[in-house]
Amino acid sequence: MEAWLNTMHLVVFDMAGTTVDEKNVVYRTLHQSSVDAGYSFSLEEVLYHCAGKEKHQAIKDLLASRALDAAASTAIFAAFKANLDAAYQELDVQTFPGVEELFAQLRQRGIIIALNTGYSSRIARLLLAKLGWIEGEHFATLVTADDVRYGRPHPEMIHLAMARTGVLDSAMTLKAGDSIIDIEEGRNAGCGITVGVTTGAQTREQLATARPTYIFDSLVEILDIV
């Protein structure tokens, strides 16, 4: 393990709930959109079934959890997108404490930073603009749901981040996220380290079911292992 930690090349961070504190607005909006469509899902069900996924697929999975017709996902997704657009226009987006300092420390150590997300490119870049984060300055590359054919837990987003940054060995990559699906994505990509963080959608107990290498209460704790 120590040899790997001394030669880490790439860290792939999830956005919402991991590096970006958007007050869980995505899942609250998705929950409200499902309620408006006549369904009685709880917010806890939404968080469990939808966290980390491309959002149309997340809605399909939410409906499937109760064996409901997936065809209803199209209308819910359309409403969700409109509602989320409205919410984000007013939202005060922030980072979690210490995240920008973490990024700076990683860059100083020669470690490449990538962001990936189940959001569309437009929504992801809206969040980044609100934060003032610039691709090529604060992080090396952004991979969104629009950039790949397969969403999490398929490893395509991590593999694309590796290709864009010239990292050839996934064992030299760390994936960090706030959901089970993030951890599964990292494991499927062959990442040498997977980190679950409890700042977002899911609890420590839920994250533990995906068997990450580490579970942290703050993303800054990554500095203790690199």
Side-chain angles (χ1 to χ4, degrees), residues 70-133:
S73 67
T74 300
I76 298 173
F77 182 56
F80 162 74
K81 288 194 294 182
N83 293 338
L84 188 62
D85 280 350
Y88 268 143
Q89 296 305 320
E90 304 298 327
L91 187 67
D92 178 21
V93 179
Q94 301 177 358
T95 65
F96 290 102
V99 167
E100 292 188 342
E101 293 81 0
L102 168 64
F103 280 22
Q105 287 283 332
L106 292 175
R107 293 196 304 269
Q108 287 176 11
R109 300 178 192 195
I111 296 169
I112 301 167
I113 299 169
L115 301 178
N116 77 349
T117 179
Y119 291 151
S120 67
S121 178
R122 188 176 65 81
I123 290 294
R125 294 187 184 281
L126 173 62
L127 287 176
L128 293 173
K130 283 177 173 280
L131 291 170
W133 288 3

Side-chain angles (χ1 to χ4, degrees), residues 165-178:
T165 56
V167 174
L168 301 177
D169 187 354
S170 60
M172 302 301 157
T173 299
L174 182 154
K175 173 60 201 285
D178 66 306

Side-chain angles (χ1 to χ4, degrees), residues 167-202:
V167 174
L168 301 177
D169 187 354
S170 60
M172 302 301 157
T173 299
L174 182 154
K175 173 60 201 285
D178 66 306
S179 69
I180 291 169
I181 207 83
D182 284 303
I183 297 162
E184 291 175 343
E185 175 197 25
R187 291 171 60 88
N188 290 341
C191 292
I193 292 285
T194 54
V195 172
V197 64
T198 62
T199 51
Q202 295 181 327

